Amino acid sequence: SDSGLHLFSEMFRPVIARIESGRAGEKVPSVALSDFLRALFLLETNSAKAVEIVDNALKVKPSDKRLLYLKALALLGVENRTDESVKLLRELSNEAFAPALLKLATHLRFIEDEKEIKKAIELYERYTSLEPHDPRAFTSLAYLYDRFEECSKAEAAHRKSIAIDPGEATSYSNFIEFLILHDRISEVKPVLMAADKHRQPDEDLFGWVVQSLYD
């Protein structure tokens, strides 16, 4: 769902090039993955190798934001290179590259430092101005606003997340917990009823909320 990855384009471009070459009577290239996809598929299993592949691709396109972003993702998985990744994400964020804003905000959010967490809020807010139809940032903002006792902003973020993706059950459960913890229990029923219109057969929203509050 990240706008910076262009996965379908990366997947089909070699195939399309092969078809076009064949129709033009040219030598047909072998169908292979792009460097971008090769690196992406290695992120979880061999981040160091992914960095190596991206570095080679950057020699051809040194200012390609998608490749730089992919390098930042890979660096996060390489021991002792997190600082390099954060530096790269900051640079891309300063250029208003939306996926980098979201990734950097998420990284800073889990650092136990109030200043960094407040920076995460700013980054999420900037991201929502660029990607207003992505509920993930609003979900995170709701939690962070509540943490800093900005309840009206937290409520607005919860409602925005639900409005963008009304089929996402966790958005309703997060909002219901927010209402209960702020002693607004009378407002829970309408949210449960709204969620029930989109409930999947295997989803027990009420049960999830009770279990979460118990934990």
Side-chain angles (χ1 to χ4, degrees):
S1 58
D2 282 314
S3 61
L5 298 181
H6 300 179
L7 297 184
F8 283 102
S9 172
E10 292 290 342
M11 186 69 76
F12 287 113
R13 188 188 304 136
V15 179
I16 292 170
R18 191 174 193 275
I19 293 171
E20 289 177 339
S21 296
R23 288 176 177 175
E26 301 170 355
K27 182 180 178 180
V28 178
S30 60
V31 178
L33 296 177
S34 66
D35 287 339
F36 189 94
L37 276 183
R38 288 174 59 217
L40 188 65
F41 290 150
L42 284 168
L43 278 183
E44 298 297 329
T45 57
N46 193 338
S47 296
K49 183 64 177 178
V51 173
E52 181 183 324
I53 292 171
V54 176
D55 278 339
N56 285 331
L58 283 167
K59 291 177 183 177
V60 180
K61 298 179 179 179
S63 59
D64 189 303
K65 291 180 182 179
R66 296 187 311 117
L67 287 172
L68 291 168
Y69 174 59
L70 186 57
K71 180 177 180 177
L73 295 182
L75 285 169
L76 281 175
V78 181
E79 189 175 0
N80 298 324
R81 299 194 70 180
T82 300
D83 289 346
E84 292 179 62
S85 174
V86 171
K87 180 177 181 293
L88 194 48
L89 288 173
R90 289 190 193 280
E91 292 171 358
L92 290 168
S93 295
N94 290 337
E95 296 179 26
F97 187 66
L101 283 163
L102 181 65
K103 190 65 179 180
L104 180 58
T106 303
H107 175 75
L108 296 179
R109 171 186 169 181
F110 293 103
I111 296 176
E112 290 302 317
D113 183 294
E114 189 170 299
K115 290 182 179 179
E116 296 294 346
I117 295 172
K118 287 184 176 180
K119 288 179 184 177
I121 292 176
E122 294 175 7
L123 290 165
Y124 279 128
E125 289 173 339
R126 286 174 57 198
Y127 178 80
T128 60
S129 68
L130 296 170
E131 297 284 355
H133 303 295
D134 186 345
R136 294 174 297 173
F138 290 104
T139 298
S140 297
L141 278 171
Y143 169 80
L144 295 175
Y145 285 145
D146 191 30
R147 176 170 178 165
F148 289 101
E149 299 182 353
E150 296 187 76
C151 295
S152 60
K153 285 187 175 182
E155 179 178 353
H158 278 300
R159 292 190 182 279
K160 185 68 174 180
S161 178
I162 291 171
I164 293 171
D165 188 5
E168 178 53 57
T170 55
S171 295
Y172 294 99
S173 63
N174 290 338
F175 188 32
I176 289 170
E177 288 184 37
F178 168 82
L179 292 172
I180 292 173
L181 293 173
H182 287 275
D183 199 23
R184 295 169 59 182
I185 297 175
S186 62
E187 299 175 52
V188 167
K189 184 176 180 180
V191 181
L192 277 170
M193 292 177 66
D196 198 50
K197 296 176 182 178
H198 304 278
R199 185 177 64 85
Q200 299 299 313
D202 60 340
E203 291 177 347
D204 177 14
L205 181 61
F206 183 77
W208 293 350
V209 172
V210 171
Q211 183 66 52
S212 178
L213 291 172
Y214 176 81
D215 291 340

